[in-house]
Amino acid sequence: MSVGKKLFTTIILTAVALSVALGLVSYQVAKGLIMDQVSAASTRTIAQAADKLDFLFAQYEATARQWSVNQELKADLEQRSKPGLSEYDKNQIAQRIVRRLDSVVASDSRLLGARLVAKSGVDAESYHSAGVPAIRSGDEIRAGLDGIIAKDGQVVWLPTRKRGFFGVNAEPTMTMAKLLKNLNNRQAEYVLMLEIKDKALTPILANVELGDGGILSVVAPDGTLVHHADAAMIGEASPIRVPKGAEATFYADDEAGSRQLAAHAELKTAGWSLLGYAPVREFVRETDRLLYITLAVAAVAVLASLLIGYGAVRLIARPIVRLCQLMEEGGRGHLRVKAEEGRKDEIGRLAQSFNKMMDQIRGLAEQSNRSALEVARQAEELTRASRRLSSSSKEIAAATQEIASGAANLASEAEKGSGWTARVGGSVDEVARANGFMELAAAQVREASDEGTEHMRLLLGKTDETERMTRAMADKIGGLRKSAESVRSVLEVLEQMTKQTNILSLNAAIEASRAGAAGRGFAVVADEIRKLADQSKQSIRHVAGITDGIRREIGDAAAALDAASPLFAEQTAAVREAAVIFGKVKEQMEGFASGIRSSAASVAELAQSRDALLDTIEAVGAVVQQTTASTQEVASISAAQEAESEALVALSADLERLSASLKETLLAFRVEESEAESREQAPAS
């Protein structure tokens, strides 16, 4: 839809909408004002009618109070209740009571009759005015009498019934009842009942008007109709129920669904409510004229909006359409189109702004041509940067290969260290077996020494030789002790080197984490080195424990030799007698020497294993240092490559977008056309 059609339609719809809205608002306001006034008037009317009913009912209540204090009536009733009273006296009392009842009925035409009903409800014991039928008994009547008696002298209003309270009247009546109390003689208490004609309320309510079709009724608290214009409705449920806590006027729907304006007022005497209601449509009938006026105004607004819309289209829409056509030409690339600037209003200003905009766009297109050259230059820079990136990638590849080679060497050295560690374990087992043999041999030597103690005094000639051999043995044991201490020192050095290796592996892992993805492989290698160092540390501790055991056994052997030295002096006198014994001693000593030599060989082998393990650890340290250096180099190169790569990626993306945009833009515009060609191509303003 064009701008002209939209503008034309908007003007018409706006005029119609405003007219209709104004009419509807006026209608609703007038309707609300009328209903407010009607509600206020209805409230006052119902209140006045309720006051009239209360005044009427108050008169009957006053009559009942007069009867309750009438001493003559009280005396007659007491006399009537005495036993043994003659029929004559009873008739005289009955005549006086009936005359009083007749006088009350004769003085008020609204009364159908008056009764004095015995509490037993028996007609023969009760009294009524002339022309009133006798009472009847029944459960409903008995319950009603009991309710009146239970009120203990208070006035009770009984709702209207179509045939009265006792169901014997010829027309609907409502009943006012009151127990005439006698504190001295309960047998003399009677219920006074005044039966009021229902039609007696009609004159009182005749002047109450709530509009055409309005209805007045008296409603009991339970919603039943006490009085209604239609006598057939008495005792039925009211079509309009008064909500609990309702205001004086309210709205409600009747049984037919018609909206009703209702007003009510509670009677202060009987406790009933005077309810009046009328259809709402009767009150707002006059306001319907506003709807016809609204339709007429809407029709006039449509005609006026047609004229206004036509003028607006000529003055506004057509120039705007022309400018749209020029803008479409400019969108197709004709940047030299011009709009007519003859008008002095906003349309003319819009044309000037359009011409200025086209001049700026043409300058922008020219600037874009220059930018294209700049893009080409940036592309050359991108090419050179890419070459540098390629060179850096080669260096990274070489460094990575070096890292891989170092990792392989590290793994090989780790395997060697594992083998030497196993050999150290075997040597330790051999040392343990040798220690056991030496312990057994030492025990046998002690036994042989005990057997030859008595003969040692004869061995003076051989004492010097034996003494020399003992000193030599002591020297060897001392040397063995020093060797064991040297092994302990070496093991301490190995343990320190293992700690250093563990620290180096931790540093390598830290450097690998700094290197990022490029150092993940080296991180795994560093972790394996750390595990190998931990295993070496445990092995060294185990060997140290065994070496300490050897030292303790050598110390025990040396102590035993020291203890045996004084005994050699006693062997001088018994050389011959102890020859056999000393032969055994010699054999045992040879076995002992053999065990010592075996232990020495094991210790020597252990020293070789220690040297090999030391060399392995040194090799591992060298590899770790080499790998660390390579990792640092790789990290540095990777950081530089990453920064340069990010710059190249961003530059490439920018150049690609810029190139595509410039191509599309420059292909769409033609800025080299002559002024004459542009004017021919542009539509005439």
Side-chain angles (χ1 to χ4, degrees), residues 351-399:
Q352 294 176 0
S353 300
F354 173 78
N355 294 334
K356 184 177 180 181
M357 178 186 68
M358 295 305 297
D359 293 339
Q360 292 177 351
I361 292 176
R362 186 168 59 253
L364 180 61
E366 293 173 354
Q367 179 65 29
S368 298
N369 288 325
R370 292 191 293 271
S371 298
L373 298 176
E374 181 66 19
V375 169
R377 188 181 65 80
Q378 294 291 338
E380 293 178 358
E381 290 291 334
L382 179 61
T383 302
R384 288 193 293 271
S386 299
R387 291 175 180 174
R388 291 194 298 270
L389 179 61
S390 176
S391 177
S392 299
S393 299
K394 293 179 180 179
E395 293 178 1
I396 291 174

Side-chain angles (χ1 to χ4, degrees), residues 612-683:
L613 181 60
L614 179 61
D615 295 337
T616 301
I617 293 174
E618 290 178 354
V620 169
V623 172
V624 169
Q625 292 178 356
Q626 180 181 1
T627 305
T628 302
S630 300
T631 302
Q632 292 177 351
E633 183 180 359
V634 170
S636 177
I637 296 173
S638 298
Q641 180 183 2
E642 182 178 3
E644 192 167 0
S645 298
E646 290 179 355
L648 288 176
V649 170
L651 181 59
S652 299
D654 292 340
L655 289 177
E656 183 178 359
R657 289 193 297 269
L658 182 59
S659 298
S661 177
L662 286 175
K663 287 180 181 179
E664 294 178 359
T665 304
L666 295 176
L667 289 175
F669 297 107
R670 297 189 294 275
V671 297
E672 300 298 332
E673 295 175 344
S674 63
E675 294 290 339
E677 291 176 348
S678 299
R679 285 193 294 270
E680 290 177 359
Q681 292 177 358

Side-chain angles (χ1 to χ4, degrees), residues 17 49 66 88 103 142 170 188 244 249 261 301 351 439 508 556 559 599 632 634:
Q66 291 176 2
Y88 175 78
S103 64
R142 181 71 261 176
K244 186 177 181 180
T249 57
L261 173 64
E439 183 177 0
D556 294 339
S599 177
Q632 292 177 351
V634 170

Side-chain angles (χ1 to χ4, degrees), residues 11-20 294-309:
I11 293 174
I12 294 176
L13 294 178
T14 302
V16 173
L18 289 176
S19 301
V20 174
T294 300
L295 295 176
V297 172
V300 174
V302 170
L303 294 177
S305 60
L306 288 174
L307 297 176
I308 296 173

Side-chain angles (χ1 to χ4, degrees), residues 534-553:
D534 292 338
Q535 294 175 359
S536 299
K537 182 177 180 180
Q538 295 176 359
S539 299
I540 291 171
R541 289 179 178 176
H542 184 65
V543 172
I546 295 174
T547 304
D548 290 340
I550 294 173
R551 290 173 58 193
R552 288 193 296 270
E553 295 297 335

Side-chain angles (χ1 to χ4, degrees), residues 482-604:
K482 292 180 180 179
S483 298
E485 291 177 355
S486 299
V487 170
R488 178 63 180 174
S489 300
V490 170
L491 291 177
E492 291 177 354
V493 174
L494 288 176
E495 185 174 2
Q496 292 295 327
M497 294 180 68
T498 302
K499 292 181 180 179
Q500 293 296 327
T501 302
N502 196 1
I503 294 173
L504 289 175
S505 66
L506 180 60
N507 292 332
I510 294 173
E511 293 298 330
S513 63
R514 291 180 180 176
R520 290 179 180 175
F522 182 69
V524 174
V525 174
D527 185 67
E528 293 297 329
I529 293 174
R530 183 180 59 80
K531 292 180 180 179
L532 179 61
D534 292 338
Q535 294 175 359
S536 299
K537 182 177 180 180
Q538 295 176 359
S539 299
I540 291 171
R541 289 179 178 176
H542 184 65
V543 172
I546 295 174
T547 304
D548 290 340
I550 294 173
R551 290 173 58 193
R552 288 193 296 270
E553 295 297 335
I554 292 173
D556 294 339
L561 289 176
D562 293 336
S565 295
L567 300 176
F568 291 140
E570 297 177 0
Q571 295 178 357
T572 304
V575 173
R576 294 178 180 176
E577 291 83 353
V580 177
I581 295 173
F582 274 106
K584 294 180 180 180
V585 171
K586 182 178 180 181
E587 293 177 358
Q588 296 297 329
M589 290 303 294
E590 288 177 356
F592 184 76
S594 177
I596 292 175
R597 286 193 297 272
S598 177
S599 177
S602 297
V603 172

Side-chain angles (χ1 to χ4, degrees), residues 39-229:
S39 298
S42 299
T43 301
R44 291 192 297 271
T45 300
I46 293 297
Q48 292 173 0
D51 291 340
K52 292 179 180 179
L53 291 178
D54 278 330
F55 178 76
L56 176 63
F57 293 161
Q59 290 179 350
Y60 294 125
E61 291 182 357
T63 300
R65 286 193 292 272
Q66 291 176 2
W67 277 63
S68 64
V69 297
N70 191 319
Q71 297 299 324
E72 294 179 358
L73 176 63
K74 185 177 181 181
D76 287 340
L77 294 177
E78 289 178 353
Q79 185 68 24
R80 177 69 177 80
S81 63
K82 290 181 179 181
L85 188 65
S86 64
E87 291 297 329
Y88 175 78
D89 292 335
K90 291 181 180 179
N91 290 332
Q92 291 296 319
I93 293 172
Q95 289 177 5
R96 289 195 297 271
I97 293 175
V98 169
R99 282 197 300 270
R100 290 188 181 94
L101 294 175
D102 289 339
S103 64
V104 173
V105 175
S107 63
D108 190 350
S109 61
R110 292 185 289 264
L111 290 177
L112 180 64
R115 298 177 185 271
L116 277 177
V117 182
K119 292 195 294 183
S120 63
V122 178
D123 181 69
E125 299 176 358
S126 303
Y127 306 95
H128 56 79
S129 60
V132 178
I135 64 175
R136 295 188 307 176
S137 61
D139 294 338
E140 186 178 359
I141 295 174
R142 181 71 261 176
L145 285 175
D146 292 340
I148 296 170
I149 295 171
K151 291 296 184 179
D152 196 23
Q154 296 182 6
V155 175
V156 178
W157 286 92
L158 303 176
T160 303
R161 295 183 181 180
K162 294 179 181 180
R163 294 183 60 84
F165 177 75
F166 294 100
V168 295
N169 297 336
E171 60 180 294
T173 58
M174 65 182 66
T175 303
M176 188 218 72
K178 176 180 173 63
L179 176 65
L180 302 180
K181 299 177 60 177
N182 191 328
L183 300 178
N184 298 325
N185 188 356
R186 292 292 184 179
Q187 299 297 327
E189 293 182 346
Y190 281 76
V191 176
L192 173 64
M193 288 188 173
L194 300 179
E195 296 181 324
I196 306 169
K197 300 175 183 178
D198 177 70
K199 61 183 180 182
L201 302 183
T202 301
I204 299 175
L205 302 178
N207 296 327
V208 179
E209 295 183 359
L210 295 177
D212 296 339
I215 297 175
L216 282 175
S217 61
V218 179
V219 183
D222 60 356
T224 59
L225 291 172
V226 177
H227 169 77
H228 195 271

